[in-house]
Amino acid sequence: MPKTGPMNTDASEGSSLLDWVERVGNKVPNPTIMFVYLIGVVAVLSAVLSWAGVSVTDEVVIPVPRDEFSQINEHLGGTWSIYDSVTGEPAEVPDFVVSEETFSVRNLLSVEGARFFFSSFVDNFAGFGVVAVVLVSMAGVGVAEHAGLMGALIRRIVKVAPARWLTFILVFVGVLSSVATDAGYLILVPLAAAAFYSVGRHPLAGLAAAFAGVGAVFGVNLLITPSDSMLTEVTNSVLAQLGMTPLEVTQNYYFSIVSSLVMALVATIVTAKITMKRLGVHVASDLQVADEVEKVDEAAEARGLKFAGWYLLGVAVVIALLTAPPGAPLRDPSTGNIIGNTPFMASLVFVISLAFLVCGLGYGRGARTLQSGNEAVAAIAKTFGSLGGLLLMFLMIAQFIALFNWSNLPTVAAVSAAELLQQANVPAVVLLLGFIGVIVVLDVILPGLVPKWVIFAPVFIPIFASLDVAPQTLLAAYRVADSPMNVLTPLMVYLPFMVTVAQRYKKDAGIGTIIALMVPYTVWILVAWIALFVAWFLLGIPWGPGAPVNF
């Protein structure tokens, strides 16, 4: 049973500032209402800038519809070919092309804007993929939680992991979870909060530590992720236009490995030295379920975990059969690859949810806590019912993002900031630091690892190439800049979910609570990461295999 007691009253300047951030942040209207207000602000701003004739011209990377070309070719009997307009030689259809386009601010208060708002409202929500990801992920977790598997896993993790290493393990698993893109937010963060609670630590410290690992260090990993493949494809499309040698997907691999370990350590230190000291001892009465102490049947739990292990082995065998053999369904149909932008990597969220679902059924059978399919369906329905407020937030977030993007305001802001850096006549390392600063600021309004790179790659790769800075160096700087702000921006689609998790342990938790928790992580991870990047650059250490700092 976790200890109870008064909250920490240590009024250090840092703690007082974060407490003030939390109080102010929690006075912000309900997130759903806040996004309604933000839509109004964007509408007025778009009208003013549109009337002022604000526009920018930029080179953009446009995906080529290769699948459509292939279908057309098949309809023509396979006789259609692409030829180089200069040499006249046969050519392959590229993945991307670079095109110069002008972006003008579009007025949301115009007839066209009103038409878009009303006609796209349903489509905006239907196309908001996070909703589907949340529901799919939480279906499996709901069964596992109802059966008691989640509690059993937490108790085992706490029992096996040395107390001094618990935080680092949770943070590092969060860093690795970017392989599955969204699973870390939805599965690991609640688990980390519960793990901290079970060992007498403040659960919000566990939430913050895991959230930092998943979100603030998202751009790097020990493994090659789908994001690495997409970043490489976008980069190579620009390099092809410049007549430069394409990059391999491992161009930042060494830097990613070291960054993953160092940033996980930084997040662990922040948790111990700042977050836990500020939060103090958790007041268990804040948590309704804290009073519902159940006696654990250790024999039933052990039997349930044994069954869950066998069920997990079954899932692993099925996935292996679908992945390992040549020509297997989850391999890339063209290259045969498993890792990268492949069906296997695209299936990870579903595979993980399926594993939790099956293991939950296995645990329930072994521990006799889940007796029928009806109980499993009821568990999923109960889990979905608890997400009602979150789904309403997602409805308004989807509208805000769609309207914001339609207005072209993010693109205009990004290109304008890029032009300022382009005009600066400073050494390469200073320009790289300026580039990092621009990305950090723009991440507040334009989150997402790949979308920003699509905008910036055609602008900055040529600039830095002229300074003898290799594209893999620019990409490493981009990884440093993109991730730390993820845990603070209001446009982080999982921020409302973090609030929902926090409210299990602190009923009055709000967005201000999460922001106050995460500010120290963003600051220290960004400072440490920039220092690592600068040292790496100045020492001339290769970013990855065959990927030097300069040409």
Side-chain angles (χ1 to χ4, degrees):
M1 179 74 181
K3 299 176 182 179
T4 61
M7 296 294 288
N8 185 15
T9 57
D10 180 14
S12 65
E13 291 186 9
S15 179
S16 298
L17 176 61
L18 294 175
D19 291 341
W20 177 83
V21 170
E22 178 175 359
R23 288 194 301 271
V24 172
N26 285 342
K27 290 181 180 179
V28 171
N30 180 284
T32 303
I33 302 300
M34 183 183 72
F35 277 99
V36 172
Y37 292 157
L38 287 175
I39 289 172
V41 171
V42 167
V44 173
L45 183 60
S46 69
V48 172
L49 295 180
S50 176
W51 291 332
V54 174
S55 65
V56 295
T57 300
D58 187 32
E59 290 184 340
V60 296
V61 179
I62 302 175
V64 174
R66 298 185 64 176
D67 292 340
E68 287 79 353
F69 286 160
S70 298
Q71 292 174 6
I72 293 174
N73 197 19
E74 289 178 6
H75 287 304
L76 294 176
T79 59
W80 183 55
S81 300
I82 299 291
Y83 292 89
D84 191 300
S85 60
V86 177
T87 65
E89 298 293 327
E92 293 186 1
V93 178
D95 292 325
F96 295 88
V97 295
V98 177
S99 174
E100 186 176 275
E101 293 187 17
T102 298
F103 300 92
S104 301
V105 176
R106 295 201 279 186
N107 184 2
L108 283 167
L109 298 182
S110 65
V111 173
E112 186 184 8
R115 182 182 298 118
F116 175 79
F117 175 77
F118 282 94
S119 63
S120 68
F121 195 93
V122 174
D123 291 339
N124 293 340
F125 190 52
F128 196 51
V130 174
V131 175
V133 171
V134 168
L135 294 178
V136 170
S137 298
M138 296 307 292
V141 172
V143 172
E145 186 171 6
H146 179 81
L149 175 61
M150 301 301 286
L153 286 176
I154 292 168
R155 284 187 287 273
R156 282 302 172 100
I157 291 173
V158 171
K159 184 177 180 179
V160 174
R164 62 186 300 180
W165 287 100
L166 179 62
T167 303
F168 180 81
I169 290 172
L170 292 172
V171 172
F172 192 60
V173 171
V175 174
L176 297 180
S177 72
S178 64
V179 170
T181 309
D182 302 287
Y185 295 108
L186 300 170
I187 297 173
L188 180 65
V189 172
L191 188 149
F196 266 49
Y197 174 73
S198 68
V199 297
R201 300 180 188 176
H202 203 295
L204 296 192
L207 178 154
F211 190 24
V214 177
V217 198
F218 183 82
V220 293
N221 204 301
L222 296 188
L223 306 173
I224 300 300
T225 69
S227 296
D228 291 321
S229 299
M230 289 185 281
L231 290 174
T232 303
E233 287 179 6
V234 172
T235 303
N236 286 342
S237 66
V238 176
L239 295 178
Q241 297 291 325
L242 299 173
M244 298 170 63
T245 304
L247 301 180
E248 298 294 334
V249 73
T250 55
Q251 77 283 324
N252 286 158
Y253 190 53
Y254 298 158
F255 183 67
S256 291
I257 291 175
V258 175
S259 294
S260 298
L261 294 168
V262 173
M263 296 312 119
L265 181 60
V266 171
T268 301
I269 294 172
V270 170
T271 303
K273 301 298 183 181
I274 299 177
T275 307
M276 292 179 64
K277 286 186 177 181
R278 172 176 173 263
L279 291 173
V281 181
H282 178 53
V283 179
S285 58
D286 283 351
L287 178 61
Q288 182 178 356
V289 300
D291 297 327
E292 302 173 6
V293 181
E294 298 181 4
K295 185 177 180 180
V296 177
D297 185 337
E298 294 187 0
E301 182 175 285
R303 188 170 57 251
L305 288 172
K306 182 178 179 180
F307 274 61
W310 284 111
Y311 277 51
L312 178 61
L313 180 61
V315 173
V317 169
V318 171
I319 299 302
L321 292 174
L322 293 172
T323 306
L330 297 184
R331 284 179 176 268
D332 186 280
S334 300
T335 65
N337 292 339
I338 297 175
I339 303 300
N341 190 17
T342 65
F344 173 74
M345 301 301 290
S347 305
L348 277 180
V349 170
F350 171 67
V351 169
I352 292 173
S353 180
L354 179 65
F356 272 99
L357 174 64
V358 173
C359 291
L361 294 174
Y363 182 89
R365 180 181 176 186
R368 297 184 178 88
T369 56
L370 199 63
Q371 301 294 334
S372 67
N374 289 337
E375 288 186 40
V377 172
I380 296 174
K382 181 180 179 181
T383 301
F384 284 1
S386 68
L387 299 175
L390 181 66
L391 294 177
L392 180 59
M393 292 184 208
F394 282 165
L395 173 64
M396 296 315 303
I397 291 173
Q399 305 312 318
F400 173 80
I401 292 174
L403 295 171
F404 195 39
N405 290 336
W406 183 89
S407 71
N408 283 333
L409 285 173
T411 303
V412 170
V415 174
S416 299
E419 289 176 350
L420 290 176
L421 279 182
Q422 188 175 6
Q423 296 168 4
N425 185 20
V426 294
V429 67
V430 177
L431 191 57
L432 282 167
L433 291 176
F435 172 77
I436 290 174
V438 168
I439 299 298
V440 167
V441 172
L442 289 176
D443 198 48
V444 176
I445 63 172
L446 193 64
L449 185 65
V450 177
K452 285 195 301 296
W453 188 237
V454 169
I455 295 172
F456 280 104
V459 176
F460 282 104
I461 288 178
I463 295 174
F464 283 92
S466 67
L467 296 172
D468 197 32
V469 176
Q472 57 265 24
T473 300
L474 184 63
L475 194 52
Y478 179 73
R479 294 176 190 273
V480 171
D482 173 78
S483 299
M485 285 298 295
N486 285 343
V487 295
L488 291 183
T489 172
L491 297 186
M492 156 56 73
V493 292
Y494 291 112
L495 188 61
F497 181 74
M498 298 303 121
V499 175
T500 301
V501 175
Q503 287 173 345
R504 299 176 186 175
Y505 305 95
K506 190 173 186 295
K507 293 180 180 179
D508 60 348
I511 284 183
T513 304
I514 304 301
I515 291 177
L517 284 172
M518 303 314 299
V519 165
Y521 293 95
T522 294
V523 171
W524 285 107
I525 288 175
L526 187 59
V527 169
W529 215 345
I530 290 175
L532 176 64
F533 172 82
V534 171
W536 200 292
F537 178 81
L538 294 178
L539 292 173
I541 303 172
W543 301 108
V549 169
N550 298 316
F551 289 106

